[in-house]
Amino acid sequence: MTDASASTGKTSSFGFRDVDATEKVQLVRGVFDSVASSYDLMNDLMSGGVHRLWKDAAAAKLNPRPGETILDVAGGTGDMARRYAKMARAAQERRGGDDASIIVLDYNAGMIMAGVHKGGEPEMSWSVGDAMALPMPDASVDAYSISFGIRNVADIPQALREARRVLKPGGRFLCLEFSRPTASAIRKAYDAWSFHAIPRIGGWVAGDRDSYQYLVESIRRFPDQTTFKRMIEDAGFSRVTVTNLSGGVAAIHHGWAI
């Protein structure tokens, strides 16, 4: 899942390198152009298949409801949006209400096309767009989510401010992202797996070692749970919580636009 934007004169991390933000946009686009056709396999490789359970937990935390407009940024092939649509429909069948609207937005057209080809739910719509300049009015969505995409954005604080801008008062923010394992033993084991196994497997399976190398490096450059929590609060969110998954290999950050 990817989303990025440029800010002239700013630098941003691309794996272990610092590059101009404008260059990062193009570099990240190239990575996801390369892996779009094997993206679901990539997530299995990156997480050992556990990403499916993490996504279930994140969707339950967001708690989609009938009649809501939910924006899934860096929505990739639509894994999270499908979960949201099914959960909102199940709630609708229990207690009535209008259909939910789930908007999948991704910076990479190839990812969107892969998602469309995979198929969606009636509540879903697809759009190419930028996390840094969301093509939506102020206070227009009930919930905003971004899963395994925020670390690919050139200017994370700007993306968080945009999330706050488009949320209605009382709206919910959710970010699911690879994070910092809380125990040193888990951290060492995951680093060994990430840096030694994943790029090699990416080369064997997808023929693209370099893209997988970037992805594991981007995980290590991403802020830890506490630092990212402060960034979300600085963007104007309240009651921000952190839920560690698999010992902090991934984490859910959740906040409110109040």
Side-chain angles (χ1 to χ4, degrees):
M1 300 173 186
T2 180
D3 224 310
S5 182
S7 298
T8 303
K10 293 186 178 181
T11 61
S12 186
S13 65
F14 181 77
F16 287 158
R17 290 190 289 143
D18 289 322
V19 300
D20 184 87
T22 304
E23 183 182 3
K24 176 169 180 173
V25 174
Q26 301 305 320
L27 291 170
V28 170
R29 176 180 288 168
V31 167
F32 285 88
D33 281 344
S34 175
V35 304
S37 62
S38 59
Y39 185 70
D40 294 326
L41 174 61
M42 180 189 75
N43 280 336
D44 283 327
L45 295 176
M46 296 284 283
S47 70
V50 183
H51 72 98
R52 302 172 193 276
L53 300 178
W54 297 342
K55 289 174 179 176
D56 288 343
K61 182 74 172 178
L62 191 71
N63 188 24
R65 302 162 190 168
E68 288 191 323
T69 298
I70 300 174
L71 176 62
D72 185 32
V73 176
T77 58
D79 272 4
M80 293 303 298
R82 290 183 189 86
R83 286 171 168 81
Y84 299 152
K86 291 174 181 177
M87 292 176 71
R89 195 183 318 134
Q92 184 183 32
E93 291 170 356
R94 291 194 303 271
R95 63 176 189 248
D98 296 330
D99 293 344
S101 173
I102 319 295
I103 304 166
V104 184
L105 184 142
D106 199 283
Y107 191 77
N108 188 279
M111 295 292 290
I112 290 292
M113 292 306 299
V116 171
H117 180 74
K118 187 176 179 180
E121 300 294 328
E123 297 86 353
M124 291 169 58
S125 60
W126 305 84
S127 179
V128 176
D130 190 340
M132 313 311 309
L134 295 170
M136 313 193 73
D138 295 357
S140 59
V141 303
D142 298 286
Y144 170 110
S145 77
I146 183 166
S147 300
F148 304 118
I150 194 79
R151 73 182 189 279
N152 298 313
V153 174
D155 187 340
I156 293 173
Q158 173 62 18
L160 294 173
R161 289 190 293 269
E162 275 291 276
R164 181 64 180 82
R165 179 185 68 80
V166 301
L167 278 167
K168 298 176 183 178
R172 311 183 305 285
F173 168 89
L174 181 141
C175 177
L176 171 63
E177 187 54 86
F178 288 105
S179 197
R180 194 69 51 85
T182 54
S184 61
I186 297 175
R187 186 160 53 248
K188 289 177 181 177
Y190 187 67
D191 279 348
W193 164 252
S194 297
F195 287 104
H196 297 293
I198 290 177
R200 291 182 181 179
I201 296 172
W204 296 334
V205 175
D208 188 355
R209 181 188 176 105
D210 289 347
S211 290
Y212 285 78
Q213 183 70 37
Y214 157 71
L215 290 165
V216 297
E217 290 178 3
S218 70
I219 292 170
R220 285 300 156 261
R221 288 294 299 271
F222 190 70
D224 64 22
Q225 290 90 323
T226 301
T227 302
F228 188 49
K229 179 176 182 286
R230 286 197 298 267
M231 293 171 69
I232 296 168
E233 292 168 340
D234 289 344
F237 289 97
S238 303
R239 294 164 53 189
V240 180
T241 61
V242 181
T243 303
N244 284 317
L245 304 170
S246 300
V249 173
I252 298 168
H253 285 74
H254 183 274
W256 295 84
I258 53 178

